[in-house]
């Protein structure tokens, strides 16, 4: 116990020594909040590493002085009620990374009954946290804040959680870490930013009335880390996305998750500690994490410069191609649309396609039919069914679709590997179970089925071929022959409901064919213009083959749905929109059908190649789909397929191109910002080290605010102590100076080259970088800092 107390005090004294408090005349009592924490030298630090005119930066470069922070909660750093602050007092309360306990507790007392739950149904971190067992715990976790680009914990950026992840806890920690600091903009990465940002300014005003004057509404931006974003509702996917946020570079916001990994190793030990011992231990752990994590950013800069160059070339090529096809005026309108959305996220989003319900007619009709069934049951009107007719029929249609998919899988994979054989067996087993459940519903809703089917058909029901479930017929109402047979086999209006579902299924399949043809057209163009070489051509051919397989699957689905509809409704006006689909009808807008002579010539050529053993699908001039030529040849004889008759100028295709153009430009701009941010961060590291060296020089005995040697002063020191204090200050000053010069000398050429890449200099020479030097640990720097323990 005595040794543990000695270690406890030793940690506290070492922290004060490294912060230079031994030199100050005010001593330990004069330590400011968070003063003992290690700063991030790459983050913007006013009056430390920013230029004098940084507040006057124009809109184009203002993002260089943005502070990026990441917020998260860690529920592994718990603490049991095993001691108290009298037996385990907190030494240096609020001196480093953990917020001051007294004002924090007073703030929490004002929000005892506050309960925070996420209404974002896709991501409910706060709701799940509140359900955790907190009985017998003083602390249920910790809320933490670090810089979102370098994973360095912020001063006064950690606070205990009493019950779940409540707003009051995170608000206070955030306010503590930015209090009395000034920035042009703060970008906050938080996995529940969509909830925390609500009423944010109102809550901040209760902590400090001048907060809204210190930071404008445009000066605080809320983002969601990239990995967490997918779990949110679709409305959050663009509004809180780093990829579409100007000035954020390639920041992903997930670094704080990596930061918790170090502290979680001590979770079991700190859980049983008293409040003082735990706070000191965590401060020491987070300080060591910062010390180990302050590294050179040059390796990231090399990668970012390469990525920007690639994305710049790709976007410019894409942009020039679209300018020739749709005109610069349309591209300028898209660019204006981006600028409007960036200012007001309630405007139309350029990164999302316009919602088209025509693609989901089948699902929307199911919802409508299910609602009708629910209303009829509630009102007591209409025919009562033993089960849901819509559910029964949609299940049967889905099973038929699964059967076709399985048959296509077998057809396209003639020689199965063991892995594919196992996958086939799993699919057949799952399909057989679905058919068995379907038969149970069929006996309830089609009780007269045995009266209209032949004995051979009934054997398929009573004794099916379970080894090949993909060939088992289901016998839906459309398969029961005449209308009188369907009325005898089914109860209620089952055939009419199936007809409605089949009609919507046909429309969905037709829209799927159009989508596949659009993708095939653009993929074929890309292959012809950009792909060369046997390996790349083979891969591209494989991609085109997969696209053709999907088109073929949708074509079969349309034909079967139309055939069922023809049996149910017979010929009628509905055939004007849902015509017979032939192989030559399945072609893109820029494709034409082969004439008879070309078709015969093509088949003869394939037979000759097959007989010689050199036939290769990927080397063909034509696409895999039968009867379609992809090249625009014989324009005067080309006709448009009927499947495109109701598509006006293919606005949907243009909408998809607009989204891709906007995203391609966003990728290029984000990588450009990333290069400039990394160059600025390397410059800031040099400037911070120079400031730190000067700061340590100012800690010499006799300097302003420092200890003196006069005998009539309580803080006076002896000559031996003066020599020791000055030696330590000189040593730390020299370490910082050498570190700054080392960074500047090593990476000044890289920074200059990266800026040249961004500026698109024509005469830029190739810069050779030693990757081992970038990836190696700076052992000399670590030894220099560890040498202070000897003094």
């Amino acid at each position: 116990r005595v040794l543990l107390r000695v270690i406890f005090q030793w940690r506290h004294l070492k922290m004060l020594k490294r912060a230079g408090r031994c030199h100050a005349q005010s001593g330990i009592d004069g330590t400011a909040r968070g003063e003992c924490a290690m700063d991030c030298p790459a983050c913007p630090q006013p009056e430390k590493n920013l230029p004098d005119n940084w507040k006057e930066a124009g809109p184009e470069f203002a993002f260089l002085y943005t502070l990026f922070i990441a917020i998260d909660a860690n529920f592994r750093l718990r603490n049991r009620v095993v001691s108290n602050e009298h037996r385990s007092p907190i030494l240096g309360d609020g001196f480093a990374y953990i917020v001051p306990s007294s004002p924090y507790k007073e703030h929490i007392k004002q929000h005892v009954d506050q309960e925070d739950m996420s209404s974002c149904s896709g991501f409910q971190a706060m709701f799940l946290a509140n359900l955790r067992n907190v009985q017998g715990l003083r602390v249920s976790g910790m809320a933490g804040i670090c810089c979102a680009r370098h994973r360095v914990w912020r001063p006064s950026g950690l606070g205990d959680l009493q019950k779940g992840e409540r707003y009051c806890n995170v608000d206070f920690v955030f306010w503590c870490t930015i209090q009395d600091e000034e920035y042009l903009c703060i970008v906050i990465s938080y996995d529940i930013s969509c909830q925390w940002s609500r009423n944010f300014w109102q809550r901040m005003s209760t902590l400090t009335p001048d907060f809204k004057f210190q930071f404008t509404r445009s000066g605080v931006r809320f983002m969601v880390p990239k990995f967490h974003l997918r779990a949110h509702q679709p409305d959050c996917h663009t509004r809180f996305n780093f990829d579409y946020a100007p000035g954020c570079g390639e920041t992903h916001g997930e670094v704080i998750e990596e930061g918790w990994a170090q502290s979680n190793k001590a979770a079991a030990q700190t859980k049983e500690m008293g409040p003082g011992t735990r706070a000191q231990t965590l401060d020491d752990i987070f300080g060591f994490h910062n010390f180990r994590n302050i590294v050179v950013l040059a390796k990231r800069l090399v990668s970012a410069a390469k990525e920007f160059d690639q994305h710049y070339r790709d976007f410019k090529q894409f942009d020039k191609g679209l300018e020739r096809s749709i005109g610069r005026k349309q591209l300028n309108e898209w660019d204006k649309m981006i600028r409007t959305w960036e200012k007001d996220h309630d405007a139309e989003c350029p990164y999302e396609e316009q919602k088209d319900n025509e693609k989901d007619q089948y699902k929307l009709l199911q919802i409508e039919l299910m609602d009708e069934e629910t209303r009829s049951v509630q009102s007591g009107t209409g025919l009562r069914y033993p089960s849901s007719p819509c559910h029964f029929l949609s299940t049967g249609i889905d099973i038929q679709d699964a059967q076709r998919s399985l048959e296509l899988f077998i057809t396209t994979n003639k020689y199965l590997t063991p892995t594919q054989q196992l996958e086939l067996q799993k699919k057949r087993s799952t399909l057989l179970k679905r058919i068995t459940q379907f038969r149970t519903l069929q006996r309830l809703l089609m009780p007269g089925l045995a009266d209209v089917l032949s004995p051979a058909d009934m054997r398929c029901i009573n004794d099916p071929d379970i080894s090949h479930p993909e060939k088992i017929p289901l016998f839906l109402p459309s398969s029961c022959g005449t209308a009188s047979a369907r009325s005898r086999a089914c109860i209620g209006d089952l055939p009419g409901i199936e007809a409605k579902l089949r009609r919507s299924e046909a429309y969905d399949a037709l829209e799927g064919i159009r989508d596949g043809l659009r993708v095939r057209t653009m993929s074929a163009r890309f292959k012809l213009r950009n792909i060369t070489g046997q390996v790349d051509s083979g891969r591209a051919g494989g991609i085109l083959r997969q696209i053709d397989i999907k088109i073929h699957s949708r074509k079969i689905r349309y034909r079967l749905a139309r055939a069922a509809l023809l049996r149910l409704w017979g010929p009628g006006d509905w055939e004007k929109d849902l015509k017979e689909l032939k192989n030559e009808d399945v072609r893109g807008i820029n494709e034409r059908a082969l004439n008879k002579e070309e078709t015969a010539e093509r088949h003869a050529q394939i037979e000759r190649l097959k007989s010689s053993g050199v036939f290769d699908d990927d080397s063909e001039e034509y696409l895999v789909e039968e009867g379609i030529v992809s090249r625009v040849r014989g324009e005067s004889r080309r006709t448009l397929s009927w499947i495109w008759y109701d598509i006006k100028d293919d606005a949907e295709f243009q909408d998809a191109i607009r989204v891709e153009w906007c995203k391609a430009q966003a990728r290029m701009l984000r990588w450009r910002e990333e290069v400039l941010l990394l160059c600025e961060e390397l410059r800031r590291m040099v400037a911070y080290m120079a400031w730190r060296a000067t700061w340590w020089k100012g800690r010499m005995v006799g300097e302003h605010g420092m200890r003196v040697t006069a005998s009539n002063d309580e803080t006076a020191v002896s000559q031996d102590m003066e020599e020791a204090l000055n030696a330590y200050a000189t040593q730390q000053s020299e370490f910082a100076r050498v570190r700054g010069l080392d960074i500047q000398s090593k990476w000044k050429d890289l920074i200059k080259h990266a800026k040249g890449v961004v500026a698109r200099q024509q005469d830029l020479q190739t810069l050779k970088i030693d990757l081992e030097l970038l990836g190696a640990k700076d052992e000399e720097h670590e030894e220099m800092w560890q040498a202070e323990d000897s003094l």
Side-chain angles (χ1 to χ4, degrees), residues 384-397:
R384 290 185 176 272
Y385 294 95
S387 182
S388 169
C390 178
H391 173 68
F392 164 70
L393 292 170
S394 60
T395 300
I397 293 174

Side-chain angles (χ1 to χ4, degrees), residues 396-450:
I397 293 174
D398 292 342
I399 291 175
Q400 288 181 338
D401 189 47
Q403 289 177 320
R404 292 193 297 270
S405 299
L406 187 55
E407 288 179 340
L408 189 61
F409 175 80
I410 297 173
T411 303
T412 55
N413 297 277
K414 295 182 180 180
Y415 305 100
L416 300 178
T417 64
T419 302
Q420 291 175 328
Q421 291 178 3
L422 178 60
E423 182 182 358
L424 177 61
Q425 291 298 327
K426 290 181 178 180
K427 289 183 177 180
R428 281 177 169 169
S429 177
T430 302
L431 183 58
L432 187 61
K433 292 178 182 179
R434 294 178 65 184
I435 294 175
T436 303
Q437 295 174 355
F438 172 79
R439 294 299 186 201
T440 303
L441 296 176
Q442 193 174 38
R443 285 191 290 269
L444 297 175
L445 293 171
M446 300 180 68
L449 186 61

Side-chain angles (χ1 to χ4, degrees), residues 237-284:
H237 290 176
T238 53
R239 188 181 296 265
F240 301 97
N241 197 330
F242 274 108
D243 291 333
Y244 309 138
C248 289
E250 284 299 314
T251 309
H252 54 75
E254 297 288 354
V255 294
I256 193 168
E257 302 290 348
E258 304 168 11
W260 291 126
Q262 296 294 328
S263 60
N264 286 344
K265 297 176 181 179
Q269 290 77 18
T270 57
K271 184 177 181 179
E272 304 295 333
M273 292 181 180
T277 309
R278 174 178 177 271
Q280 188 64 54
T281 302
L282 290 178
D283 270 339
D284 192 59

